[in-house]
Amino acid sequence: MNAVRLPRIKVCGLTRVADLRAAIAAGADAVGFVHYPPSPRHVDAESCAQLARAARGAAFSVLVTVDLEPAALEVLIAEVRPDAVQLCGGEAPEDCSGLQAAVLRRLPVQAGSEQQVDAWKTRALGFVLDHPATPGGSGRQVDLERSARLAASAPCLLAGGLGPDSVAAAIAAVRPHGVDASSRLETAPGIKDPVRVEAFIEHALRALQTAPS
């Protein structure tokens, strides 16, 4: 896992291969797809595998899950073959020691988040800083001051309501390793607007040039 590098620009909540390819063409080095039935961006295992295949060799693919039992998660990873799995629920580090994929840990930005960083630091490739309201895709901005402290302590992707108009200021405030966006890049849940995606990536890359890697 140490040889795997944390990406800098992740477009998440993808449901269509065409949108995935457009995001990669615009400069995203990571793409994410959600396997969680309550989410409006949920895609089934077969579709996740199709998206992962489309990304292979072109971008870092991330399978997003919430509270799957370890055995079920192992089966899903074997079917989808992502580069990483993003864990967004109450999963414990000891349940994930045998996974055949790198681990991104979603971190709700709230009191007590620092303890989660300590618990996961040796297991996770990095952390996704997000709003605590939902497991992801809420479109709500995180506490930037607390996020900055977390980003200084571990490699983090900043998420939470980021779009073309807000990403540069958020990067300047938090100084994360990278960023992760979904809902603010859409025309409908799971349907990405290529114009917004391209603008988001352009602004993010420009801002990250002055942020630490």
Side-chain angles (χ1 to χ4, degrees), residues 125-142:
L125 175 66
F127 297 88
V128 179
L129 306 178
D130 205 353
H131 196 278
T134 69
S138 71
R140 298 172 64 176
Q141 188 179 66
V142 298

Side-chain angles (χ1 to χ4, degrees), residues 7-208:
R8 303 211 81 188
I9 307 285
K10 175 168 168 267
V11 174
C12 201
L14 291 157
T15 62
R16 305 189 301 182
V17 169
D19 290 347
L20 179 145
R21 289 178 173 153
I24 294 171
D29 61 348
V31 288
F33 29 89
V34 178
H35 184 75
Y36 179 54
S39 170
R41 298 168 186 88
H42 167 73
V43 286
D44 62 26
E46 183 178 351
S47 297
C48 285
Q50 182 183 27
L51 291 162
R53 285 194 299 271
R56 199 158 293 137
F60 192 79
S61 61
V62 182
L63 171 64
V64 180
T65 67
V66 183
D67 287 328
L68 279 181
E69 292 294 330
L73 182 57
E74 289 176 9
V75 170
L76 182 63
I77 289 171
E79 181 175 354
V80 175
R81 296 178 57 211
D83 294 307
V85 58
Q86 181 174 316
L87 305 176
C88 299
E91 303 89 353
E94 57 269 23
D95 293 332
C96 304
S97 58
L99 296 181
Q100 297 302 302
V103 171
L104 296 179
R105 177 65 198 179
R106 178 188 175 273
L107 198 62
V109 179
Q110 59 188 2
S113 297
E114 296 80 4
Q115 287 74 25
Q116 286 199 49
V117 170
D118 291 339
W120 281 89
K121 210 173 218 181
T122 60
R123 181 66 191 96
L125 175 66
F127 297 88
V128 179
L129 306 178
D130 205 353
H131 196 278
T134 69
S138 71
R140 298 172 64 176
Q141 188 179 66
V142 298
D143 178 331
L144 295 180
E145 185 176 343
R146 186 181 292 274
S147 295
R149 294 196 297 270
L150 292 167
S153 69
C156 293
L157 302 181
L158 178 65
L162 297 180
D165 58 343
S166 61
V167 66
I171 288 171
V174 176
R175 298 179 70 82
H177 175 86
V179 291
D180 182 353
S182 179
S183 61
R184 295 293 178 91
L185 308 181
E186 296 178 332
T187 58
I191 307 301
K192 297 298 188 272
D193 178 347
V195 174
R196 292 184 214 174
V197 170
E198 187 172 354
F200 168 78
I201 293 172
E202 179 183 351
H203 295 161
L205 286 173
R206 188 180 303 127
L208 286 167

